[in-house]
DNA sequence: TCAAAGCAAGTGTGATCACATATCAAAATC
DNA sequence: GATTTTGATATGTGATCACACTTGCTTTGA
């Protein structure tokens, strides 16, 4: 076929056809497992099997085993000496360890973002906040998954502005690791009567709009510390009862 | 066989037989590739193929592809849109990004370690320093690999004392990412006449022995910043020449 | 009655095959 | 002679098979 003809063809369809994407099955499995982990769909200490997940995801074992291997290297899952793999169990030490790391790294990221996030970025996170308010307005239906997703978008929209290709994957890894814990904390919130989560987020946005890095960091620390503190108390009281 | 007979057998051999270990082929491949990456055996931008590595490591493709996948998720390698994988190229932004992250996280780790590392830990790192001096004494043979290994042991022996199961894997990931860059810097050192690396390490040990977290952090920052600064200058002057 | 042996189902690991795509050089076409 | 086409080779991906190990239950034997 002549070159001109090929380009003609491209021109005709370019506007109408969406790119079909080149995502592999493995990528989809990996993304799906990540989503499930961050969303807290798996419980701490839950054992996962390759064939079980392959059946659930309607694929063969191959993409699943590679995805599991990747999640194990980022400590989102844990390889037992039996060669079986499970969601890491919650311990007090792990909670404190995760919180400290998150404060350190996400605090740094938001400090950087405070000076680099333009009005356009601010507008986006403000829109996310409004969307969240709408979800919370119709309270009758506890759409926790939706809230988790919005919270994630809110935070990562900010972190993205820090412009670090090194820090952001680390934060993702930390969210992956704290996902199963956070889920427990969220359920605890639901039982205990929810505190105003939105308040912290509004403080964060205000600090970012003022380009006040220190205030943004402090508001963020308060925001991410709260569920961890909640979870910590819960675990301790449970430990006392036994 | 009766239980008593089994235990008799165990008693007889327990002292003589070493545990045989349960490492999989995939684990060995992964470790070997990590070693090569941290040691800078691969060059930035070098493309790696599954079958090529499998031949070089004398295994099949299966363990290699899973190891590559794991290294890609921790950003030690990079997946190109062609689906081929390469060692990430060096850019000025990436160097600054990596250095900032390393200062942040390794600085925190050594601060924690300063108060938690007992005299026993101090003795170990001092022994590593003496071993290093010996290697440097016979200077005629530039045993760079040995020095890289000793440097790694020195740093991670300290980080191990911080007691964080979250921070340490992150530091390993950062070393994996900066390995290929550092190798370039080390060669630059060799050409430019080496500055006294040992000085910084002695400062670190002194600060740790005095449990002075702030001084330890500052000495560490100086230590890890130096090769990055060197590499940075080298890249900039090369960029000017083109 | 109870512990030990044996068996069967389940699971992870590694090897191999089939297939789609990428790459690159030779050949063909203008 | 430059550009396109074509074909051979190389490479990543997914499926399937074979094997070893684990696990839990049943059967056996004292």
């Amino acid at each position: 076929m002549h070159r001109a003809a090929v380009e003609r063809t491209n021109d005709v369809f370019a506007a109408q056809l969406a790119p079909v994407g080149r995502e592999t099955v493995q990528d989809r499995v990996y993304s799906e497992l990540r989503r499930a982990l961050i969303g807290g769909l798996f419980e701490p200490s839950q054992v996962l099997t390759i064939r079980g997940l392959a059946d659930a995801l309607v694929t063969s074992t191959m993409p699943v085993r590679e995805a599991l291997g990747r999640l194990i290297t980022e400590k989102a899952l844990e390889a037992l000496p039996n060669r079986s793999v499970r969601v890491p169990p919650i311990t007090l030490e792990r909670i404190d360890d995760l919180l400290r790391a998150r404060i350190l790294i996400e605090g740094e990221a938001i400090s950087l973002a405070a000076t680099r996030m333009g009005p356009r970025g601010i507008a986006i996170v403000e829109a996310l906040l409004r969307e969240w308010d709408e979800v919370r307005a119709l309270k009758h239906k506890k759409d926790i998954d939706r809230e988790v997703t919005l919270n994630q978008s809110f935070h990562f929209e900010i972190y993205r502005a820090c412009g670090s290709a090194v820090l952001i994957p680390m934060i993702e890894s930390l969210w992956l690791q704290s996902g199963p814990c956070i889920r427990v904390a969220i359920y605890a919130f639901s039982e205990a009567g929810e505190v105003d989560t939105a308040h912290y987020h509004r403080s964060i946005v205000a600090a970012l709009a003022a380009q006040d890095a220190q205030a943004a960091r402090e508001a963020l620390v308060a925001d991410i510390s709260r569920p961890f503190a909640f979870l910590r108390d819960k675990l301790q009281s449970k430990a006392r009862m036994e």
Side-chain angles (χ1 to χ4, degrees), chain A:
Chain A
M1 198 185 288
H2 297 189
R3 181 135 194 277
V6 173
E7 295 205 334
R8 172 88 43 86
T9 312
N10 287 342
D11 288 342
V12 169
F13 290 111
Q16 305 176 36
L17 293 180
V20 69
R22 300 180 27 84
E23 215 182 18
T24 63
V25 178
Q26 180 189 154
D27 291 335
R28 283 197 295 275
V29 171
Y30 178 67
S31 303
E32 186 61 19
L33 291 179
R34 275 177 72 104
R35 204 181 57 78
L37 242 11
I38 290 184
L41 270 59
F42 296 130
E43 287 177 26
S45 301
Q46 182 178 350
V47 173
L48 305 178
T49 66
I50 293 178
R51 286 176 173 91
L53 289 173
D55 288 346
L57 296 166
V58 196
T59 45
S60 75
T61 63
M62 185 62 57
V64 174
R65 58 199 271 192
E66 306 205 335
L68 285 186
R70 293 167 70 174
L71 290 168
I72 288 170
T73 65
E74 37 188 355
K75 309 291 176 192
L77 295 175
E78 191 180 38
L80 300 177
N82 326 341
R83 299 208 189 293
S84 64
V85 19
R86 71 171 174 187
V87 181
I90 299 184
T91 65
L92 263 179
E93 300 78 37
R94 185 170 165 78
I95 289 174
D96 294 340
D97 202 0
L98 278 170
L99 176 59
R100 183 179 52 210
R102 288 191 56 177
I103 288 175
L104 178 70
I105 298 174
E106 296 181 40
E108 176 76 6
I110 204 173
S111 276
L112 293 169
T115 60
R116 303 186 187 186
M117 200 156 87
R120 189 159 160 59
I122 303 277
I124 293 176
V125 295
E126 277 173 346
L128 283 169
L129 243 48
R130 278 193 301 275
E131 194 177 343
W132 197 340
D133 285 338
E134 290 170 18
V135 173
R136 300 188 69 228
L138 14 104
K139 241 196 154 61
H140 50 78
K141 193 197 169 196
K142 284 272 176 196
D143 199 346
I144 290 186
D145 288 332
R146 184 104 184 86
E147 286 196 50
V148 167
T149 304
L150 275 169
N151 184 45
Q152 187 182 350
S153 302
F154 174 79
H155 278 90
F156 279 92
E157 186 59 38
I158 294 170
Y159 299 146
R160 213 163 53 78
C162 85
S164 169
V166 172
L167 290 181
I168 292 174
M170 301 195 128
I171 298 175
E172 286 176 358
S173 172
L174 287 172
W175 278 59
L176 230 33
Q177 292 179 61
S178 37
C181 304
I182 295 305
R183 180 68 159 206
V184 175
I186 287 177
Y187 283 135
F189 277 145
S190 302
E191 292 170 12
E194 196 167 349
V195 195
D196 193 5
T197 335
H199 168 256
Y200 292 99
H201 285 199
R202 267 189 267 276
S203 304
I204 291 174
V205 174
L208 289 176
Q211 299 207 0
D212 185 341
Q214 186 56 32
R217 185 195 291 260
E218 282 165 13
L220 176 76
V221 168
D223 179 41
I224 63 185
S225 295
R226 210 164 42 91
F228 278 94
F230 219 99
L231 179 54
R232 197 172 197 290
D233 289 346
K234 198 154 191 254
L235 271 187
Q236 272 183 334
S237 63
K238 197 201 291 181
R240 266 196 303 275
M241 285 177 32
E242 285 163 5

